[in-house]
Amino acid sequence: MSDDYDHGRRDGLRLALAILSAEEAKWAALLGESKSWRTNQIREVRHKALQVAQKRIQTVLNRLSPKEESGISDELAAALDIAGL
């Protein structure tokens, strides 16, 4: 695959990671706020599902990142800072 295509895939994954991060923050703020235990349970499940999705996307992003000897790339570090991870 071309470098442009790989870069585009990584950008798409970073965008997905940022969206999931924002959604996870929204649900984290709502945890335990309802008087209904059922609503709180559903919110906890959604929150956990978002965390799992973030971890999976992060794993795929790490696999697609170019291998460098110096460790984490500047491109990946900047994306993680934006996502708050």
Side-chain angles (χ1 to χ4, degrees):
M1 285 185 250
S2 71
D3 289 336
D4 290 338
Y5 180 77
D6 288 340
H7 185 72
R9 287 180 71 188
R10 289 190 302 269
D11 284 345
L13 288 171
R14 282 190 207 97
L15 177 61
L17 194 59
I19 291 168
L20 285 171
S21 180
E23 279 295 307
E24 191 246 338
K26 179 181 87 172
W27 285 106
L30 295 174
L31 290 178
E33 293 292 317
S34 178
K35 292 179 183 179
S36 170
W37 68 270
R38 216 174 263 153
T39 300
N40 287 331
Q41 197 78 19
I42 290 169
R43 288 177 180 173
E44 287 179 23
V45 169
R46 286 181 181 165
H47 182 253
K48 186 63 179 177
L50 290 168
Q51 288 177 332
V52 169
Q54 280 181 314
K55 186 65 177 167
R56 288 183 178 174
I57 289 177
Q58 184 64 49
T59 301
V60 171
L61 186 58
N62 287 340
R63 289 181 184 163
L64 289 177
S65 296
K67 304 295 182 224
E68 295 182 2
E69 295 179 20
S70 63
I72 191 168
S73 70
D74 295 334
E75 178 186 0
L76 182 58
L80 291 175
D81 287 339
I82 291 171
L85 299 174

